[in-house]
């Protein structure tokens, strides 16, 4: 009995001893781990404090230098150059997502590319107001509250530094935004344990707020972490514990350069083991801590090692596939962006319009919205003169100007080439101001150029209820504006009727040459002494469907559609052949005048093709006069002038048609190498009845004589007109008084009648 009793006593002793030993071992292990964790917390807190302090010192220096550079007008007055500085600094600072320079009133003046075109005022942002005001008063860098910054779409930690002039007056504020997300932040490169947290807190006027919180464990919503202040009792509890444990005051705690350990609870009441440090210069509490549960878990790690290994492997695979999914999603979004946006300007393209307006109606047009079609005037000249790369840079600037002019409610897209489409929901935009914005000078590589724009507008739903039709109508209105250039026009039903007629003319004109519907007539030009000076070649068209079509109707259509190139070659070649035969028939030569469109002149190989036709017919170049209109746009003059000089060098003559109806007659005369002025028929018609037209004709004749030019009057229909023009000194006459335009056989008879 005693043996059994002793056995059980020994058993209980062994059991109790084992329990005590195990408890002692557990307690020793626990306190040892606590000591290790406490030392690690202190060391990590010191490291984090140093990293953060060093970063703030570097940031303060950088902001001071960059801010001084931005303010200093001797460095650069170009905001784009200052923006480049921001972009460069951002590239070498991975934790920084944005730079900005603000005026003392809080307005963002200059920023890096992520904030281009955004109007931001720090004083209007609730989370930024107090710290911005603090910045204006402080000599040091000031840390603001972490908050979600909508323009960047990121949680950020703002740093600001007041820039002062030599008198100490604040002239601006430099600011940087540090990315503050769980996966990417200032401490992304700092190694922490899975259950170790970093906490940065600063006291503001309305309470203690977290500046940064690693929180890898529970992944709480950032709005909870940064959008609300920390519980006052939690913060004061930790501070009071340290003050009581170390018998120091709050001021001594803040002034000390030491790291202090503490035990406390988080907001959920979980025990934590941590360390605290106060950065006096930047007024920030810095803490690294572990949960006490970590120590308990460490004891049981041997038991759960296999389970943990499996969990870790699953987590690794989870994060791997999560990363692959994210990569594929980013690739898909990038591809979609490239498909629906113009790669040069980053504006939406036609594919975007079809996806978001035509089909899905993701972008809704409001009642009264305007569909605006913009076509740049003579943009081809820019590409031909300076190259396509130069032209692309201008298109990028235009895109930015359009985005700045319109609002987020509007859709600005690039149709392609030099065409842009805008859906204007704002409805309060002055289109003349839009033209002025586009026509502002473009300075690229020290070269200044100017552009005009023709703008067509249709209105929803007044003109049409579907976007496709509205765009077509805006296109029609744009071509109406193109007639004037650098102007805008709203769509009207009359435009549509005229456009329909022009489409019919275009369709019939495309086959007119093959059907031999185009033919030539020639109107004689008579010298003042009654002898034949020459003839003007005039094109005529008689169509089976349309009947006789006036050149005033089909020539503009030919120019707008590019058919003028084929038609112009036909007119020139046919005239050279027929007049060469007439020379042989009548036994004499005379001048042949042929009208040349500005579209023909601007064709790359115009002169080469013309000389080939002349040489093939063996026509004397001195007998050929090319007529160009005085309505030649000023912006085309520099491009056309070398071509006209080359024409004169080949022995051909130049006549300036419609003189007196343009906008820059005298400036044109001083530049163009012309031989002959043609007085427009409109002035000749009123010559006998209008003193104004009479004086204008006299002036034109005097101008031409001063430039040693021949003067030809068009539309002379009466002897009185001819006599009056002779009295004023006119040299050559053309009109029904002498002869209507004649076919080849009738012209031969007319010339022979003059010879008799």
């Amino acid at each position: 009995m005693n043996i059994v009793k002793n056995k059980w006593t020994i058993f209980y002793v062994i059991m109790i001893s084992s329990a005590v030993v195990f408890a002692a071992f557990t307690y020793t292990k626990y306190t040892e781990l606590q000591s290790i964790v406490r030392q690690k917390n202190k060391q990590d807190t010191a490291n984090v404090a140093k990293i953060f302090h060093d970063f703030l010192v570097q940031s303060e220096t950088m902001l001071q230098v960059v801010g001084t550079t931005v303010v200093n007008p001797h460095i650069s007055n170009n905001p784009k150059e200052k923006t480049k500085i921001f972009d460069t600094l951002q590239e070498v600072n991975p934790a920084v997502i944005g730079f900005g320079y603000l005026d003392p009133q809080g307005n963002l003046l200059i920023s890096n590319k992520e904030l281009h075109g955004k109007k931001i005022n720090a004083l209007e942002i609730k989370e930024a107001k107090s710290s911005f005001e603090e910045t204006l008063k402080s000599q040091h860098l000031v840390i603001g509250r972490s908050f979600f910054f909508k323009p960047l779409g990121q949680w950020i930690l703002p740093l600001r530094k007041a820039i002062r002039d030599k008198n100490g007056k604040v002239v601006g504020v430099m600011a940087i935004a540090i990315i503050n997300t769980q996966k990417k932040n200032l401490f992304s490169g700092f190694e922490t344990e899975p259950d170790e947290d970093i906490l940065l807190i600063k006291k503001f006027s309305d309470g203690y707020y977290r500046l940064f919180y690693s929180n890898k464990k529970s992944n709480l919503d950032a709005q909870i972490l940064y959008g609300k202040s920390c519980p006052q009792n939690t913060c004061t509890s930790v501070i009071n514990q340290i003050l009581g444990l170390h018998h120091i005051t709050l001021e001594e705690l803040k002034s000390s350069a030491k790291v202090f350990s503490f035990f406390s609870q988080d907001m959920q009441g979980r025990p934590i083991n941590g360390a605290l440090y106060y950065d006096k210069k930047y007024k920030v509490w810095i803490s690294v801590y572990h949960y006490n549960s970590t120590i308990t878990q460490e004891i049981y790690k041997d038991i759960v090692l296999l389970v943990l290994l499996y969990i870790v492997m699953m987590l690794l695979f989870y994060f791997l596939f999560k990363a692959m999914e994210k990569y594929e999603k980013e690739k898909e979004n990038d591809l979609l962006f490239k498909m629906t946006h113009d790669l040069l300007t980053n504006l939406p393209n036609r594919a975007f319009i079809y996806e978001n307006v035509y089909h899905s109606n993701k972008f809704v047009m409001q009642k009264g919205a305007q569909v605006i079609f913009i076509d740049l005037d003579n943009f081809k000249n820019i590409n031909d003169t300076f190259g396509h790369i130069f032209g692309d840079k201008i298109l990028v600037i235009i895109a930015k100007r359009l985005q700045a002019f319109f609002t987020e409610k509007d859709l600005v897209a690039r149709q392609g080439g030099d065409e842009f489409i805008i859906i204007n929901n704002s409805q309060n935009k002055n289109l003349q101001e839009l033209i002025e914005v586009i026509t502002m000078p473009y300075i690229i590589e020290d070269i200044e150029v100017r552009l005009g724009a023709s703008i067509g507008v249709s209105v929803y739903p007044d003109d049409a209820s579907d976007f496709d039709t509205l765009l077509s109508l805006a296109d029609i209105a744009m071509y109406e504006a193109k007639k004037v250039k650098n102007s805008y026009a709203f769509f009207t039903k009359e435009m549509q009727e005229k456009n329909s007629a022009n489409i019919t003319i275009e369709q019939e004109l495309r086959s007119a040459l093959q059907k031999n519907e185009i033919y030539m007539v020639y109107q004689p030009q008579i010298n003042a002494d009654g002898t034949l000076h020459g003839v003007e070649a005039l094109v005529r068209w008689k169509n089976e469907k349309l009947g006789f079509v006036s050149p005033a109707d089909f020539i503009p259509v030919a120019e707008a559609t590019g058919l003028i190139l084929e038609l112009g070659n036909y007119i020139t070649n046919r005239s050279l052949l027929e007049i060469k035969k007439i020379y042989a028939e009548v036994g004499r030569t005379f001048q042949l005048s042929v009208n040349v469109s500005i579209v023909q002149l601007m064709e790359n190989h115009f002169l080469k093709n013309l000389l080939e036709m002349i040489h093939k017919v063996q026509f004397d170049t001195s007998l050929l006069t090319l007529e160009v209109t005085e309505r030649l746009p000023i912006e085309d003059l520099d491009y056309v002038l070398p071509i006209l000089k080359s024409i004169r060098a080949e022995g051909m003559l130049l006549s300036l048609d419609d003189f007196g109806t343009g906008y820059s007659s005298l400036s044109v005369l001083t530049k163009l190498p012309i031989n002959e002025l043609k007085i427009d028929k409109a002035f000749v018609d009123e010559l006998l009845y209008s003193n104004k037209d009479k004086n204008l004709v006299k002036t034109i004749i005097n101008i031409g004589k001063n430039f040693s030019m021949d003067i030809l009057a068009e539309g002379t229909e009466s002897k009185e007109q001819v006599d009056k023009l002779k009295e004023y000194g006119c040299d050559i006459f053309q009109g029904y008084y002498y002869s209507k335009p004649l076919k080849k056989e009738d012209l031969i008879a007319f010339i022979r009648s003059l010879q008799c």
Side-chain angles (χ1 to χ4, degrees):
M1 186 72 179
N2 291 332
I3 296 173
V4 173
K5 185 177 179 180
N6 292 337
K7 181 180 177 181
W8 281 108
T9 302
I10 294 170
F11 170 78
Y12 287 121
V13 168
I14 294 173
M15 184 182 67
I16 294 171
S17 298
S18 299
V20 170
V21 170
F22 182 77
F25 172 81
T26 303
Y27 178 78
T28 303
K29 185 69 175 177
Y30 183 81
T31 55
E32 180 183 336
L33 286 174
Q34 271 197 330
S35 177
I36 293 172
V37 170
R38 187 161 54 249
Q39 290 301 318
K40 182 169 178 22
N41 285 338
K42 293 179 70 173
Q43 183 61 48
D44 287 351
T45 299
N47 291 340
V48 168
K50 186 176 187 309
I51 290 172
F52 190 58
H53 184 85
D54 290 346
F55 177 80
L56 295 178
V57 170
Q58 293 173 9
S59 299
E60 182 171 7
T61 304
M62 177 175 62
L63 290 179
Q64 181 66 46
V65 173
V66 175
T68 304
T69 302
V70 170
V71 172
N72 190 348
H74 299 293
I75 302 300
S76 174
N77 282 322
N78 187 349
K80 295 179 181 178
E81 293 298 322
K82 298 172 181 178
T83 298
K84 288 180 181 178
I85 297 174
F86 293 171
D87 292 339
T88 301
L89 289 172
Q90 183 183 354
E91 291 174 3
V92 299
N93 290 273
V96 177
I97 193 174
F99 278 80
Y101 177 75
L102 305 90
D103 63 20
Q105 289 72 43
N107 297 302
L108 180 64
L109 302 179
I110 305 172
S111 63
N112 58 330
K113 56 190 176 184
E114 281 81 3
L115 293 176
H116 281 331
K118 297 187 181 295
K119 295 182 179 179
I120 298 170
N121 187 294
L123 294 176
E124 295 175 357
I125 301 174
K126 181 183 69 174
E127 297 87 348
K129 185 175 185 299
S130 64
S131 58
F132 187 86
E133 293 173 342
E134 181 185 349
T135 305
L136 298 177
K137 301 174 183 177
S138 176
Q139 298 292 332
H140 300 294
L141 177 142
V142 173
I143 308 171
R145 277 179 55 185
S146 292
F147 67 99
F148 186 78
F149 193 41
K150 291 182 180 179
L152 294 177
Q154 291 278 7
W155 283 91
I156 66 162
L157 176 63
L159 306 179
R160 304 184 185 92
K161 169 71 176 175
I163 307 302
R164 304 174 183 273
D165 61 18
K166 61 183 180 180
N167 297 319
K169 180 182 178 182
V170 177
V171 296
V173 173
M174 277 301 304
I176 57 175
I178 303 170
I179 302 176
N180 200 13
T181 63
Q182 184 181 355
K183 293 184 179 180
K184 188 174 183 181
N185 52 66
L186 178 62
F187 300 103
S188 296
F190 184 78
E191 291 291 335
T192 58
E193 295 181 356
D195 291 305
E196 183 181 31
D197 284 336
I198 301 172
L199 180 63
L200 273 60
I201 293 179
K202 180 180 176 181
K203 185 176 183 181
F204 294 87
S205 59
D206 53 346
Y208 290 92
Y209 281 86
R210 298 177 185 85
L211 304 180
F212 174 80
Y213 183 49
S214 58
N215 193 37
K216 293 184 290 296
K217 189 173 183 179
S218 56
N219 194 27
L220 293 175
D221 183 6
Q223 180 62 44
I224 298 175
L225 294 175
Y226 303 120
K228 297 180 179 179
S229 62
C230 302
Q232 181 77 18
N233 59 340
T234 301
C235 298
T236 55
S237 173
V238 171
I239 295 173
N240 290 337
Q241 181 189 131
I242 294 173
L243 298 180
L245 185 63
H246 296 276
H247 307 289
I248 57 175
T249 65
L250 179 60
E251 288 304 317
E252 289 173 337
L253 172 62
K254 290 183 176 181
S255 301
S256 174
K258 294 181 180 179
V259 178
F260 297 93
S261 297
F262 68 88
F263 299 92
S264 185
Q265 293 180 339
D266 66 2
M267 287 193 300
Q268 285 74 38
R270 293 173 296 183
I272 57 174
N273 185 333
L276 186 68
Y277 174 83
Y278 183 78
D279 190 319
K280 183 178 181 180
K281 180 175 181 180
Y282 297 108
K283 302 178 182 179
V284 177
W285 295 98
I286 301 167
S287 176
V288 176
Y289 63 88
H290 286 78
Y291 290 99
N292 282 4
S293 58
T294 305
I295 302 172
T296 305
Q297 291 170 0
E298 182 70 18
I299 298 175
Y300 294 106
K301 69 178 180 180
D302 293 335
I303 301 174
V304 297
L305 183 60
L306 293 177
V307 177
L308 288 176
L309 181 61
Y310 172 78
I311 293 174
V312 168
M313 290 298 295
M314 291 300 102
L315 285 174
L316 287 176
F317 276 110
Y318 171 78
F319 285 118
L320 175 62
F321 279 94
K322 196 69 176 176
M324 291 174 61
E325 180 188 23
K326 181 180 178 182
Y327 174 74
E328 291 296 329
K329 189 66 176 177
E330 288 175 350
K331 278 188 64 177
E332 181 183 341
N333 291 338
D334 183 60
L335 179 61
L336 180 62
F337 183 87
K338 290 179 179 178
M339 289 174 59
T340 58
H341 287 75
D342 172 50
L343 297 183
L344 176 65
T345 62
N346 283 335
L347 291 178
N349 58 16
R350 287 178 63 89
F352 182 94
I353 295 174
Y354 275 94
E355 175 64 25
N356 293 272
V357 181
Y358 277 86
H359 302 306
S360 66
N361 287 326
K362 293 178 183 177
F363 185 91
V364 179
M365 289 185 292
Q366 300 175 3
K367 185 176 181 180
Q370 298 172 339
V371 175
I372 301 174
F373 196 113
I374 301 176
D375 183 85
L376 302 178
D377 294 335
N378 307 302
F379 186 75
K380 181 178 181 294
N381 293 356
I382 299 295
N383 284 333
D384 291 343
T385 305
F386 301 107
H388 286 274
I389 294 178
F390 187 95
D392 286 348
K393 292 180 180 179
I394 290 181
L395 291 174
V396 171
I397 298 174
I398 291 175
K400 291 179 180 178
R401 290 184 182 181
L402 292 177
Q403 287 177 305
F405 185 81
F406 291 97
T407 68
E408 293 182 354
K409 296 192 301 182
D410 309 320
L411 174 64
V412 179
R414 185 184 177 199
Q415 166 87 342
D418 59 350
E419 296 176 340
F420 295 85
I421 298 171
I422 293 99
I423 300 178
N424 176 24
N425 276 325
S426 303
Q427 304 175 29
N428 60 348
K429 296 296 183 181
N430 187 311
L431 295 180
Q432 186 57 45
E433 291 181 2
L434 174 58
I435 290 177
E436 292 172 1
V437 167
I438 296 174
T439 55
M440 289 170 57
Y442 299 84
I443 302 175
I444 299 174
E445 299 170 1
D446 296 328
I447 299 174
E448 179 178 324
V449 296
R450 292 177 181 268
L451 284 172
S454 298
I455 300 176
V457 186
S458 60
V459 180
Y460 169 84
D462 299 349
D463 296 327
S465 58
D466 65 287
F467 180 79
D468 195 12
T469 304
L470 285 166
L471 183 59
S472 176
L473 300 182
D475 191 18
I476 293 172
M478 183 274 292
Y479 276 104
E480 192 68 23
K482 203 83 172 167
K483 295 177 182 178
V484 181
K485 290 196 175 182
N486 207 32
S487 63
Y488 65 89
F490 281 84
F491 169 78
T492 63
K493 290 184 178 179
E494 290 76 11
M495 290 181 189
Q496 191 169 31
E497 293 170 358
K498 188 174 181 181
N499 184 67
S500 299
N502 287 342
I503 291 174
T504 303
I505 290 174
E506 177 190 348
Q507 296 303 317
E508 295 299 317
L509 187 59
R510 289 187 180 278
S511 59
L513 291 176
Q514 287 74 26
K515 294 179 180 179
N516 293 318
E517 295 177 350
I518 303 292
Y519 62 95
M520 302 303 303
V521 294
Y522 305 93
Q523 188 168 31
Q525 298 171 335
I526 307 300
N527 292 316
D529 61 5
T531 59
L532 179 66
H533 170 77
V535 297
E536 179 182 3
L538 301 170
V539 65
R540 295 292 183 261
W541 178 27
K542 188 173 183 181
N543 178 258
E544 294 179 1
K545 180 179 179 180
L546 302 174
F548 179 80
V549 185
S550 169
D553 292 329
F554 72 81
I555 291 296
V557 174
E559 289 180 330
T561 59
L563 292 173
I564 192 66
L565 301 177
E566 181 183 0
L567 181 61
N569 287 337
Y570 173 83
I571 292 171
T572 303
N573 192 55
R574 183 70 177 266
S575 300
L576 292 173
L577 287 169
E578 290 187 349
I579 296 301
K580 188 68 185 292
K581 291 179 180 179
I582 292 175
Y583 287 164
E585 286 278 343
V586 300
R588 60 159 297 183
T589 60
F590 47 84
Q591 287 295 127
L592 168 64
S593 292
V594 178
N595 288 280
V596 179
S597 165
I598 180 63
V599 179
Q600 290 175 267
L601 281 175
M602 297 183 71
E603 185 188 16
N604 288 336
H605 304 294
F606 168 74
L607 183 56
K608 178 184 175 183
N609 294 336
L610 176 61
L611 291 174
E612 287 178 357
M613 285 187 282
I614 292 172
H615 293 154
K616 186 175 181 180
V617 179
Q618 295 183 336
F619 200 91
D620 186 349
T621 55
S622 65
L623 296 176
L624 179 61
T625 300
L626 300 182
E627 294 189 12
V628 295
T629 179
E630 195 263 336
R631 294 185 178 92
L632 176 72
I634 295 302
E635 58 266 29
D636 292 338
L637 188 59
D638 291 337
Y639 181 84
V640 171
L641 187 57
I643 300 173
L644 297 180
K645 289 181 178 179
S646 297
I647 291 172
R648 287 289 295 119
E650 294 292 339
M652 289 172 273
L653 304 182
L654 290 171
S655 176
L656 192 59
D657 197 8
D658 303 323
F659 188 74
T661 61
Y663 299 101
S664 306
S665 303
L666 289 178
S667 63
V668 169
L669 281 179
T670 61
K671 294 182 178 182
L672 297 180
I674 57 180
N675 310 92
E676 178 184 86
L677 285 184
K678 293 189 74 172
I679 303 174
D680 190 76
K681 181 180 183 299
F683 303 126
V684 176
D685 288 343
E686 300 297 322
L687 176 66
L688 302 176
Y689 314 106
S690 169
N691 288 330
K692 179 180 178 182
D693 286 339
K694 182 189 301 182
N695 292 331
L696 184 56
V697 169
K698 285 182 181 180
T699 302
I700 293 173
I701 293 174
N702 289 332
I703 290 172
K705 295 299 182 181
N706 288 334
F707 285 97
S708 301
M709 299 174 186
D710 291 330
I711 311 299
L712 188 152
E714 290 184 301
T716 52
E717 298 181 354
S718 69
K719 184 177 184 302
E720 291 78 10
Q721 289 175 334
V722 172
D723 290 342
K724 185 63 69 174
L725 288 166
K726 285 182 180 179
E727 178 186 334
Y728 296 157
C730 187
D731 303 302
I732 309 166
F733 305 88
Q734 178 181 341
Y736 275 68
Y737 175 71
Y738 291 101
S739 174
K740 66 179 182 179
L742 304 171
K743 292 185 178 181
K744 175 184 170 185
E745 295 75 14
D746 296 329
L747 177 60
I748 293 173
F750 177 82
I751 294 173
R752 285 175 174 164
S753 70
L754 287 180
Q755 292 174 339
C756 295

